[in-house]
Amino acid sequence: MTLAPTIQKYILHWGEMGTRWGVNRTVAQIHALLFLVNRPLPAEEIADTLGVARSNVSNSLKELQGWGLVRISHVAGDRRDHFVALQDVWEIFRVIVEERKKREIDPTLAVLRECAAEAENDPALEQATKVKMDQVLDFLEMLTATYGDYKHLPPATMQRFLKMGGKVARLLGGD
């Protein structure tokens, strides 16, 4: 498949951004390709289009499926698996945030809670250190609770909420 220059630029940039977010470059590029093309693609065509090894494509597709960002689709008359990406930007964002929370925030909160409990009986810790540990725990607990409050909002409601963000900040006297 020959990609338009703008699509090539988008895919390359998505791969670069992926590495900055801790995602493998090829995984991010495959996600971008599947998001932008308007049809299911077999793994061989993905490999040829992006110029990457078929094994790399297979591993990357498994990772994207594990995240819930890509699914298998079947095309009539073709026995190969084809792949499609989620197409709704809001759903993509929701899935990514939920997965990152599960993989990063939840385990961190578990350890911070353990540390907070252990700190109560640790005479070697200075009070100032305990306070800092509690502040980090409180901050992440607040973010997690807020996420829980908002994650089920319909996209239209979330858009209205985000658009009024600056107004709310000014109302509350943000700096």
Side-chain angles (χ1 to χ4, degrees):
M1 165 188 329
T2 302
L3 299 174
T6 305
I7 292 176
Q8 289 176 1
K9 181 177 181 178
Y10 188 104
I11 290 170
L12 288 173
H13 181 71
W14 203 248
E16 289 297 318
M17 289 310 301
T19 61
R20 292 183 179 121
W21 296 329
V23 176
N24 175 283
R25 179 186 321 270
T26 303
V27 170
Q29 288 178 341
I30 290 171
H31 181 249
L33 174 66
L34 291 173
F35 176 70
L36 293 176
V37 297
N38 297 307
R39 63 184 174 86
L41 295 179
E44 298 80 12
E45 189 170 356
I46 295 168
D48 291 344
T49 301
L50 297 178
V52 296
R54 175 69 172 78
S55 59
N56 195 352
V57 169
S58 292
N59 291 331
S60 297
L61 287 167
K62 286 178 189 168
E63 184 168 342
L64 287 164
Q65 288 174 74
W67 278 76
L69 294 169
V70 166
R71 66 177 173 77
I72 293 175
S73 176
H74 298 289
V75 174
D78 193 337
R79 294 175 45 192
R80 300 174 297 175
D81 287 338
H82 288 65
F83 300 88
V84 293
L86 289 176
Q87 295 296 299
D88 181 89
V89 174
W90 289 95
E91 183 63 9
I92 293 168
F93 178 75
R94 188 199 62 73
V95 166
I96 290 171
V97 170
E98 184 63 32
E99 284 298 314
R100 293 203 78 138
K101 179 186 172 297
K102 266 195 290 192
R103 296 166 188 232
E104 300 167 26
I105 302 297
D106 291 349
T108 299
L109 275 171
V111 171
L112 291 176
R113 288 177 186 128
E114 289 173 15
C115 289
E118 292 169 12
E120 294 300 318
N121 300 317
D122 188 345
L125 282 180
E126 296 178 32
Q127 184 60 33
T129 302
K130 291 178 186 178
V131 168
K132 290 176 190 178
M133 292 170 74
D134 286 341
Q135 288 173 338
V136 173
L137 177 59
D138 290 345
F139 177 75
L140 285 179
E141 294 275 14
M142 181 180 61
L143 286 180
T144 301
T146 301
Y147 169 71
D149 291 341
Y150 296 122
K151 74 179 181 177
H152 297 294
L153 291 176
T157 303
M158 194 59 151
Q159 285 176 335
R160 286 193 311 273
F161 176 74
L162 291 173
K163 285 179 181 178
M164 63 184 232
K167 296 172 188 168
V168 171
R170 286 187 293 279
L171 176 70
L172 297 175
D175 296 331

